[in-house]
Amino acid sequence: DTAVSQTPKYLVTQMGNDKSIKCEQNLGHDTMYWYKQDSKKFLKIMFSYNNKELIINETVPNRFSPKSPDKAHLNLHINSLELGDSAVYFCASSLRQGANYGYTFGSGTRLTVV
Amino acid sequence: GQQVMQIPQYQHVQEGEDFTTYCNSSTTLSNIQWYKQRPGGHPVFLIQLVKSGEVKKQKRLTFQFGEAKKNSSLHITATQTTDVGTYFCLDNTDKLIFGTGTRLQVFP
């Protein structure tokens, strides 16, 4: 069973479109995250949710909107896609919010905006 | 702003040689974690260091946290081709800042 699963794995879309990426974890973790990894492999946190409540909201364009219907799901909706949004987006989860837990990552969604 | 730099950016070694990546923060860290990302894969948690001067070992991997808790290192003894990937440190405080990563290539 996949612990943190993301769909789709690949997403190719045109500029200006709106798209969503879904994430689900079956680990019973309280906290979920979205990370962006650019072409240079830099990993940057975008959002963090603890039990459906937004905890971290880094400097991300407001075209990006996370939604957590329950603590096992954290989806990412992106409006008006731009070329610079092309990247790999990773969902992750941890047991609790706080500094003592490792993060379990999903396999990533490679988004290509053309 | 707060940064976490890793050196080197790339390292190519012959199988059997040792490898070390260094992680340096501009601020004091409460704890640090290390991750490995295989090519085309996702980051996988390796270890967490919490105490000043802490040293932990996992088989051929040795992790160290600096005395001032502003730097850390990962050392691999006698690299194997399965060690190929990018190694990241993570400043696991409020902002969850990943280091810039060190890409390791191992030649057989």
Side-chain angles (χ1 to χ4, degrees):
Chain A
D1 280 347
T2 305
V4 180
S5 59
Q6 294 178 231
T7 54
K9 192 169 175 62
Y10 300 97
L11 186 52
V12 181
T13 188
Q14 290 188 322
M15 277 196 321
N17 283 350
D18 302 340
K19 290 293 178 185
S20 291
I21 307 172
K22 295 186 176 182
C23 179
E24 176 181 4
Q25 53 96 3
N26 62 6
L27 298 167
H29 287 175
D30 280 353
T31 313
M32 296 184 73
Y33 311 81
W34 278 109
Y35 281 89
K36 178 180 179 180
Q37 186 169 45
D38 62 22
S39 58
K40 294 184 179 178
K41 296 288 191 183
F42 295 142
L43 272 163
K44 190 170 181 185
I45 189 160
M46 300 172 69
F47 302 102
S48 162
Y49 268 75
N50 185 61
N51 211 357
K52 301 194 298 176
E53 181 184 345
L54 181 64
I55 301 299
I56 295 175
N57 183 358
E58 285 301 303
T59 310
V60 174
N62 57 16
R63 298 181 295 102
F64 290 79
S65 52
K67 281 188 173 52
S68 182
D70 55 63
K71 74 173 192 177
H73 296 83
L74 180 61
N75 303 323
L76 183 65
H77 187 77
I78 316 170
N79 288 327
S80 303
L81 278 154
E82 300 177 358
L83 292 177
D85 297 331
S86 295
V88 180
Y89 292 85
F90 287 104
C91 177
S93 71
S94 65
L95 182 60
R96 306 259 186 280
Q97 182 190 356
N100 287 321
Y101 306 100
Y103 303 91
T104 303
F105 281 79
S107 56
T109 296
R110 182 175 293 275
L111 171 65
T112 304
V113 182
V114 297
Chain B
Q2 186 176 352
Q3 290 186 331
V4 181
M5 303 299 294
Q6 280 183 252
I7 55 171
Q9 192 175 0
Y10 301 98
Q11 183 90 57
H12 297 173
V13 300
Q14 202 75 36
E15 191 172 22
E17 291 181 338
D18 292 356
F19 159 77
T20 304
T21 173
Y22 299 91
C23 178
N24 297 291
S25 172
S26 55
T27 60
T28 302
L29 305 168
S30 61
N31 71 72
I32 195 161
Q33 295 180 352
W34 283 92
Y35 289 78
K36 176 184 178 181
Q37 183 178 18
R38 293 180 186 273
H42 57 276
V44 174
F45 174 73
L46 294 176
I47 210 157
Q48 175 169 283
L49 304 171
V50 179
K51 299 176 185 174
S52 167
E54 188 172 14
V55 177
K56 286 188 177 180
K57 293 192 175 187
Q58 288 180 350
K59 298 182 181 178
R60 295 178 295 104
L61 276 61
T62 302
F63 303 84
Q64 190 162 5
F65 204 1
E67 293 291 340
K69 298 182 77 173
K70 293 180 79 170
N71 57 70
S72 180
S73 64
L74 157 59
H75 179 83
I76 303 178
T77 304
T79 54
Q80 299 174 359
T81 53
T82 53
D83 295 326
V84 165
T86 302
Y87 292 84
F88 292 97
C89 59
L90 170 66
D91 167 11
N92 193 26
T93 47
D94 293 341
K95 293 292 186 181
L96 301 178
I97 298 175
F98 271 94
T100 47
T102 296
R103 193 174 302 182
L104 172 64
Q105 181 61 263
V106 180
F107 295 107

